[in-house]
């Protein structure tokens, strides 16, 4: 071997991955082929279930057999020493030496990737010492240098910290430090920013680019958001139902997408330059063979609607609301109104006070001071009995549809339960009929009544949570990051659904998110929060086009678009 870098670092030909459950055999990856060049960033884009993560796990030989079965004509990784490693036939001992040292991976959820009982520093030290015969002192020094490289504040403190003591962005930086610790030739980044705020997401992507340039490694970047790769990847591979439906350079995919699925993925994010009546959905493009139309709401129509919207008395008034926790003031003298039929958007990063504000408004957490008036009745002064009856008018949809549903209750039972609590409808027969009606409203079927949460996708689970919130016929609905855990295509479906229900049922929304493009699409007015305070408030379009604070500008700049990483 001459020691020069190979012309490719990864060669995959006709990769097939299937899973057997009982007599059923599910094909997850259906004969895909691709190559990767040294120092290249190749993005694999597709929805949940398209086969992206299964492809990555196959390369790391992390698919258990049974139930999984991995087959390929060629599955070769070329190490820096130019030796060709057959990933399909490599033994577990060989793969242990490859994982982390030659090929590293950063997963989507850093909290489940880090061991909660060891400090972050010890976990990175362990990763280094498992591949190199060095002393603990040298491993500690190397870890602290890695923490500095990934721009972690106070590396010594972070070294001694446990995962639960760090923010999501800091935990993900720990995972990146661990992944690059052994200077791998290939880094697999599997949805590494999906759970993060848009501003933190941008910082993580810029960090990965910088580390890639410094260490000259290839990155296989997996995401469901095509807009995210625009300023990050060199080439894009679009996967749909286990197959590669389109691939090419970033400029090719973005300027001339050929497959209807790719066109749908590009179109279903709220646009930055127009306010649409409905978001296009991926299914529209596939069923229409790549053609669909999106109706734009004109300025005159919107202005007339807002004039009528703000004529009546507000349904909710919040005055000088304060909520303190040890060492922090999570909500700091916040005041605002919400009007009947309005969607009020609240935007800000994690820790800005958005969710605490929502919980205080609903009296799930008592305020320390201030007033909350719903239809001129002061919620902070009423009895527990009156508050219980009032709760049917004020409902919330949480961020995580997985933890929001009881795994032991069927979808129908979960929706029916609040009807019983509030004594709605005369008997269970009438309640069941109402549940089936609600399932239909949120795009599910009557037969879904008897299925359990684990039998549904993430988007379907969020629809069940929406149906449950609607079961008590609320007047005000708080959506707390209710679409941030969803694929962009499913997100578009849920946002359209929420707008349809608002119009049909006369609902009023408080819509909370860290993604300003989504908040702008949904909202009439926007409140921008940071450190428990309202930084600015006003018309959604005005805040988007003419922000008054640098913080709001940073949120807008972090929205994925072709230039956002330049």
């Amino acid at each position: 071997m001459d020691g020069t870098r190979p012309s490719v670092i990864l060669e995959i030909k006709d990769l097939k991955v299937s899973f057997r459950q009982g007599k059923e055999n599910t094909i997850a990856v259906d004969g895909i082929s691709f190559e990767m060049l040294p120092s290249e960033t190749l993005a694999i884009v597709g929805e949940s279930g398209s086969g992206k993560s299964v492809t990555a796990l196959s390369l790391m030989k992390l698919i258990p057999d049974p139930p999984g079965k991995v087959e390929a004509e060629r599955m070769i990784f070329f190490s820096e020493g130019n030796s060709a490693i057959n990933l399909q036939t490599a033994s577990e001992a060989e793969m242990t030496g490859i994982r982390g040292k030659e090929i590293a991976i950063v997963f989507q959820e850093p909290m489940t990737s880090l061991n909660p009982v060891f400090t972050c520093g010890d976990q990175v030290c362990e990763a280094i010492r498992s591949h190199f015969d060095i002393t603990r002192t040298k491993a500690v020094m190397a870890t602290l240098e890695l923490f500095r490289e990934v721009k972690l504040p106070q590396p010594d403190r972070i070294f001694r910290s446990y995962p639960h003591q760090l923010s999501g962005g800091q935990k993900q930086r720990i995972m990146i430090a661990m992944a690059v610790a052994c200077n791998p030739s290939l880094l697999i980044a599997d949805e590494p920013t999906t759970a993060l705020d848009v501003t933190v997401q941008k910082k993580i992507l810029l960090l990965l680019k910088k580390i890639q340039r410094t260490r000259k490694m290839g990155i296989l970047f997996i995401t469901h958001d095509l807009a995210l790769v625009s300023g990050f990847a060199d080439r894009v591979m679009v996967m749909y139902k286990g197959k590669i439906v389109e691939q090419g350079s970033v400029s090719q995919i973005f300027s001339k997408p050929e497959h209807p699925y790719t066109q749908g993925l590009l179109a279903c994010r709220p646009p930055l330059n127009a306010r649409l009546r409905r978001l296009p959905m991926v299914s529209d493009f596939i069923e229409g063979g790549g053609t669909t139309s999106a109706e734009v709401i004109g300025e005159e129509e919107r202005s007339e609607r807002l004039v009528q919207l703000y004529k009546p008395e507000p349904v909710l008034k919040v005055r000088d609301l304060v909520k303190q926790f040890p060492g922090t003031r999570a909500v700091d003298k916040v005041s605002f109104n919400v009007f009947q039929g309005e969607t009020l958007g609240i935007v800000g990063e994690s820790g800005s006070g958005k969710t605490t504000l929502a919980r205080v408004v609903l009296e799930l957490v008592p305020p320390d001071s201030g007033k909350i008036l719903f239809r001129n009745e002061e919620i902070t002064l009423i009895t527990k009995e009156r508050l219980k009856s009032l709760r049917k008018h004020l409902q919330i949809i949480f961020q995580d549809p997985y933890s929001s549903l009881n795994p032991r209750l069927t979808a129908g039972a979960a929706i029916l339960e609040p009807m019983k609590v509030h004594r709605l409808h005369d008997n269970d027969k009438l309640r069941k009929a109402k549940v089936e009606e609600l399932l239909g409203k949120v795009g599910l079927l009557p037969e879904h009544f008897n299925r359990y949460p684990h039998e549904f996708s993430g988007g379907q689970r969020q629809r069940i949570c929406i149906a449950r919130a609607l079961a008590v016929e609320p007047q005000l609905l708080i959506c707390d990051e209710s679409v941030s855990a969803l694929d962009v295509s499913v997100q578009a479906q849920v946002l359209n659904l929420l707008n349809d229900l608002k119009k049909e049922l006369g609902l009023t929304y408080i819509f909370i998110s860290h993604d300003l493009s989504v908040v702008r699409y949904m909202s009439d007015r926007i409140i921008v929060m940071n450190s428990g305070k309202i930084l600015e408030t006003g018309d959604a379009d005005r805040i988007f086009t003419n922000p008054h604070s640098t913080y709001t500008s940073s949120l807008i700049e972090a929205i994925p678009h072709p230039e956002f990483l330049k």
Side-chain angles (χ1 to χ4, degrees):
M1 297 293 177
D2 58 10
T4 58
R5 294 302 295 267
S7 57
V8 297
I9 55 169
L10 188 67
E11 186 183 341
I12 305 298
K13 191 171 183 183
D14 198 23
L15 173 64
K16 295 175 183 173
V17 185
S18 59
F19 294 91
R20 180 166 290 281
Q21 186 173 15
K23 293 182 179 179
E24 287 190 19
N25 194 48
T26 303
I27 297 172
V29 177
D30 192 4
I32 68 169
S33 302
F34 64 95
E35 291 182 345
M36 273 195 72
L37 307 176
S39 303
E40 177 187 37
T41 300
L42 173 64
I44 305 182
V45 181
E47 299 169 284
S48 294
S50 61
K52 313 182 303 294
S53 292
V54 172
T55 299
L57 293 173
S58 301
L59 302 181
M60 300 289 281
K61 211 164 185 180
L62 292 174
I63 302 281
D65 181 7
K69 186 179 181 182
V70 179
E71 302 171 281
E73 188 177 323
R74 275 180 76 78
M75 202 168 163
I76 307 296
F77 171 72
F78 297 91
S79 69
E80 194 163 342
N82 227 358
S83 57
I85 300 166
N86 188 331
L87 296 174
Q88 203 174 4
T89 59
S91 67
E92 183 56 32
E94 288 174 309
M95 287 305 301
T96 301
I98 292 167
R99 292 186 200 118
K101 188 176 183 183
E102 300 278 3
I103 308 174
I105 190 164
V106 179
F107 291 105
Q108 175 176 344
E109 181 45 73
M111 196 63 226
T112 55
S113 302
L114 291 167
N115 192 323
V117 300
F118 292 103
T119 67
C120 296
D122 282 341
Q123 292 184 61
V124 179
C125 279
E126 182 188 11
I128 295 171
R129 296 187 74 190
S130 66
H131 291 290
F132 298 106
D133 184 18
I134 61 172
T135 63
R136 174 172 167 78
T137 303
K138 285 187 176 179
V140 169
M141 289 172 63
T143 300
L144 290 171
E145 183 55 40
L146 283 165
F147 285 1
R148 284 188 280 271
E149 184 178 355
V150 298
K151 299 290 189 292
L152 278 165
Q154 301 173 287
D156 292 316
R157 179 184 64 81
I158 298 284
F159 188 101
R160 299 189 302 271
S161 299
Y162 289 89
H164 74 273
Q165 296 174 303
L166 304 180
S167 70
Q170 288 173 332
K171 284 194 279 273
Q172 198 59 292
R173 286 168 190 265
I174 298 287
M175 290 304 302
I176 292 170
M178 192 184 299
V180 302
C182 300
N183 207 23
S185 301
L186 175 62
L187 176 68
I188 300 172
D190 187 5
E191 300 270 16
T193 63
T194 298
L196 305 177
D197 289 344
V198 283
T199 48
V200 179
Q201 171 180 270
K202 182 177 181 179
K203 289 172 185 173
I204 293 293
L205 292 178
L206 286 169
L207 172 65
L208 283 171
K209 285 188 82 167
K210 183 183 176 185
I211 291 173
Q212 181 184 34
R213 283 193 296 268
T214 305
R215 295 173 177 256
K216 295 181 173 57
M217 65 184 181
I219 295 180
L220 186 63
F221 184 74
I222 295 170
T223 181
H224 64 261
D225 190 348
L226 196 47
L228 202 62
V229 307
S230 55
F232 185 71
D234 301 306
R235 284 192 301 126
V236 183
M237 209 166 74
V238 182
M239 288 190 72
Y240 177 57
K241 293 185 176 178
K243 294 180 181 289
I244 297 171
V245 294
E246 188 165 2
Q247 59 181 313
S249 69
V250 169
S251 59
Q252 285 174 329
I253 297 295
F254 275 80
S255 60
K256 288 186 178 179
E258 293 180 358
H259 197 276
Y261 180 70
T262 311
Q263 295 166 4
L265 283 180
L266 279 168
C268 65
R269 262 194 88 91
L272 306 183
N273 57 355
R275 180 177 279 269
L276 302 183
R277 200 173 300 281
R278 291 179 67 78
L279 289 174
M281 295 190 291
V282 171
S283 56
D284 298 335
F285 281 85
I286 293 171
E287 290 164 13
T291 59
T292 188
S293 59
E295 189 182 345
V296 176
I297 299 173
E299 285 186 28
E300 189 176 335
E301 179 190 343
R302 184 167 184 273
S303 297
E304 286 177 9
R305 180 184 174 278
L306 294 181
V307 168
Q308 298 302 317
L309 190 65
Y310 298 125
K311 276 182 179 177
E313 184 84 357
V315 292
L316 182 74
K317 300 174 188 174
V318 174
R319 298 290 179 268
D320 296 324
L321 205 62
V322 173
K323 181 62 192 178
Q324 297 187 110
F325 296 108
T328 184
R329 191 174 263 209
V331 178
D332 192 357
K333 291 210 165 185
V334 167
S335 300
F336 62 90
N337 294 325
V338 185
F339 292 80
Q340 176 67 44
E342 178 184 30
T343 297
L344 176 69
I346 302 180
V347 70
E349 296 173 292
S350 294
S352 61
K354 309 183 304 292
T355 296
T356 302
L357 175 61
R359 290 171 184 266
V360 173
V361 165
L362 292 173
E363 281 281 314
L364 297 175
V365 179
D368 294 316
S369 63
K371 292 181 179 180
I372 306 161
L373 294 97
F374 179 70
R375 299 202 178 278
N376 288 322
E377 183 176 12
E378 193 169 338
I379 296 174
T380 45
L381 299 178
I382 61 177
T383 63
K384 284 186 178 179
E385 199 60 37
R386 174 61 186 142
L387 179 62
K388 182 181 175 182
S389 66
L390 198 64
R391 285 206 191 282
K392 73 182 290 291
H393 301 304
L394 304 165
Q395 288 290 303
I396 187 167
I397 304 165
F398 292 105
Q399 174 176 354
D400 187 0
Y402 296 85
S403 58
S404 299
L405 293 169
N406 186 332
R408 296 180 181 180
L409 288 183
T410 64
I415 299 167
L416 193 143
E417 187 179 39
M419 294 181 187
K420 271 189 168 181
V421 170
H422 289 282
R423 298 189 179 94
L424 296 178
H425 315 294
D426 292 334
N427 54 54
D428 279 352
K429 185 179 179 181
L430 290 173
R431 290 182 191 117
K432 185 178 180 184
K434 184 66 178 175
V435 170
E436 289 178 348
E437 181 190 326
L438 284 167
L439 286 170
K441 276 193 194 308
V442 299
L444 295 173
L445 301 170
E447 52 261 38
H448 290 139
F449 187 101
N450 292 314
R451 293 188 190 171
Y452 288 89
H454 73 272
E455 298 178 85
F456 294 96
S457 69
Q460 287 174 320
R461 268 181 276 222
Q462 197 60 291
R463 288 166 185 264
I464 294 165
C465 292
I466 292 169
R468 182 178 61 182
L470 295 175
V472 291
E473 299 166 2
Q475 296 172 25
L476 176 67
L477 195 55
I478 297 178
C479 305
D480 185 12
E481 299 274 15
S482 53
V483 296
S484 61
L486 305 177
D487 287 348
V488 285
S489 54
V490 180
Q491 175 181 282
Q493 293 171 18
V494 173
L495 293 177
N496 286 339
L497 170 64
L498 288 170
N499 277 336
D500 291 343
L501 292 169
K502 177 186 172 183
K503 190 183 296 183
E504 182 185 344
L505 304 174
L507 295 169
T508 302
Y509 290 148
I510 294 177
F511 191 88
I512 296 170
S513 178
H514 61 259
D515 188 336
L516 196 48
S517 64
V518 170
V519 173
R520 184 226 184 176
Y521 168 72
M522 290 295 291
S523 304
D524 300 297
R525 284 184 303 133
I526 290 176
I527 287 172
V528 181
M529 286 190 73
N530 189 25
S531 302
K533 295 178 183 289
I534 293 178
L535 290 189
E536 64 177 300
T537 183
D539 176 82
D541 288 358
R542 193 280 300 163
I543 281 184
F544 194 85
T545 56
N546 186 26
H548 291 168
S549 76
T550 53
Y551 178 76
T552 308
S553 297
S554 71
L555 291 177
I556 294 168
E557 287 165 8
I559 297 169
H561 60 89
E563 299 296 317
F564 90 117
L565 287 179
K566 299 291 172 69

